[in-house]
Amino acid sequence: MTTAPADTTFQIQEPLWKIRLRIAWKGFKQSWMLFTENKIGLVGLGIILFFGLMAVAHPILMHTVWEPNIYDPFIGNDPTILQHPSPPSARHLLGTDPVGRDVLSQLMYSTQSEFILGLLAAIVTVTIATSVGAISAYFGGALDAFFMRLADLINILPFIALLVVLTAFFDFGMIELALLIGILSGFGGTTIIFKAQALTIKVKPYIEAAKVAGGSDLHIIFRHIVPNLMPLAFLNMMFTVTGAIFSEAALSFFGLLNLRMSWGIMINTTQAAGYLLGGWKYWYLIVPPGLAITLLCSAFYLVGRALDEVVNPRLRRR
């Protein structure tokens, strides 16, 4: 009498999404450990968190501590001060501007706008650049030539000068400016970077395996090529935020944007009132917004440099 062989097959009980989540978490922890080894990256991250706290704290202070009619960043005015601008005091830690508004309140309120501008511009940039770069690398031919010539054309034009011309003829707010920067950056030099990376992914064995398995072109591009561009995309987001904040500050200083308040508007107000060249006597009108622009742009750049070492193993310290 013969017995049937024991069934040695088994099924994995754990859902696939949990396996993927665990692998992603493990990869994140490894990347975080590499990131924390870079001190300048931690400094940049600390500065970003500081400005993030400022953005969150402003509406809380307006609803709990500060009087809206005095500390409102748009129409606030302190009737106890007869002459504006006034230097820093216990009531106004960074003084008041030529219109009588609290400088610290304006600085904190503008932080929210700068984060929205930078992050939106970065998201638009990497969305366009990853898609266009992957499509150009995969298909090549006339489509690739078109997108690369378009990128060359955008790179030839001076970026700030182009923004000055466009904002002079059209009405741009914060959202419109973020979209404009994202589109120009996405179709510009960033696309070339992503295409170069996508070309190295295109020749990988698993891409050929996907083709043999019957995967469509769009499936291969957006399920196999684009996900492998994400580390590079996240890295480029940091540098795009820096460029977007600086561009907004420059355009606001020239009065070319339809914004109620930003760090660039604060400097523009000082210049329009004739205090820009007033020397150190009016430092509290120039230093806070100027230092905020410098610190936040530098912070995202430092984080980007640290992420560069995480993404690119050749740059890591041995």
Side-chain angles (χ1 to χ4, degrees), residues 30-252:
Q30 292 175 345
S31 299
W32 174 250
M33 291 186 64
L34 291 171
F35 179 83
T36 54
E37 293 177 0
N38 193 312
K39 302 305 179 185
I40 64 171
L42 292 177
V43 171
L45 183 61
I47 295 174
I48 293 173
L49 291 176
F50 171 74
F51 279 102
L53 289 175
M54 286 180 58
V56 173
H58 183 265
I60 298 175
L61 290 173
M62 288 297 298
H63 285 87
T64 56
V65 179
W66 288 345
E67 300 177 33
N69 61 325
I70 295 177
Y71 293 95
D72 187 281
F74 309 118
I75 59 174
N77 192 287
D78 193 341
T80 62
I81 300 177
L82 301 179
Q83 186 175 1
H84 298 287
S86 64
S89 62
R91 190 173 177 84
H92 301 279
L93 297 180
L94 291 178
T96 61
D97 72 352
V99 188
R101 299 169 297 189
D102 184 78
V103 173
L104 179 59
S105 178
Q106 296 180 70
L107 192 74
M108 296 177 68
Y109 175 85
S110 300
T111 306
Q112 306 171 24
S113 302
E114 303 299 337
F115 271 109
I116 294 173
L117 167 72
L119 293 177
L120 180 57
I123 291 172
V124 173
T125 297
V126 299
T127 300
I128 295 174
T130 52
S131 301
V132 173
I135 291 172
S136 297
Y138 185 82
F139 289 109
L143 188 64
D144 175 36
F146 170 77
F147 282 124
M148 291 304 102
R149 298 299 76 77
L150 177 62
D152 291 337
L153 178 62
I154 295 176
N155 286 335
I156 290 172
L157 300 173
F159 191 72
I160 292 295
L162 179 60
L163 291 179
V164 168
V165 172
L166 291 175
T167 52
F169 282 97
F170 303 99
D171 187 24
F172 278 87
M174 188 68 74
I175 302 300
E176 293 82 3
L177 178 64
L179 294 175
L180 176 62
I181 293 174
I183 292 171
L184 291 177
S185 300
F187 283 107
T190 312
T191 294
I192 301 175
I193 298 173
F194 280 90
K195 179 206 166 184
Q197 182 67 20
L199 284 173
T200 64
I201 299 173
K202 178 184 175 182
V203 298
K204 298 291 184 181
Y206 58 83
I207 300 296
E208 293 299 325
K211 292 180 180 179
V212 173
S216 65
D217 293 334
L218 291 180
H219 174 84
I220 294 172
I221 290 172
F222 291 102
R223 289 297 301 270
H224 297 287
I225 297 180
V226 170
N228 285 283
L229 294 174
M230 285 299 102
L232 184 62
F234 192 68
L235 168 63
N236 275 271
M237 284 182 68
M238 300 297 107
F239 299 122
T240 304
V241 170
T242 298
I245 294 174
F246 174 78
S247 298
E248 181 277 322
L251 296 172
S252 294

Side-chain angles (χ1 to χ4, degrees), residues 290-302:
L291 186 61
I293 294 169
T294 303
L295 284 177
L296 191 57
C297 288
S298 300
F300 277 102
Y301 176 79
L302 294 177

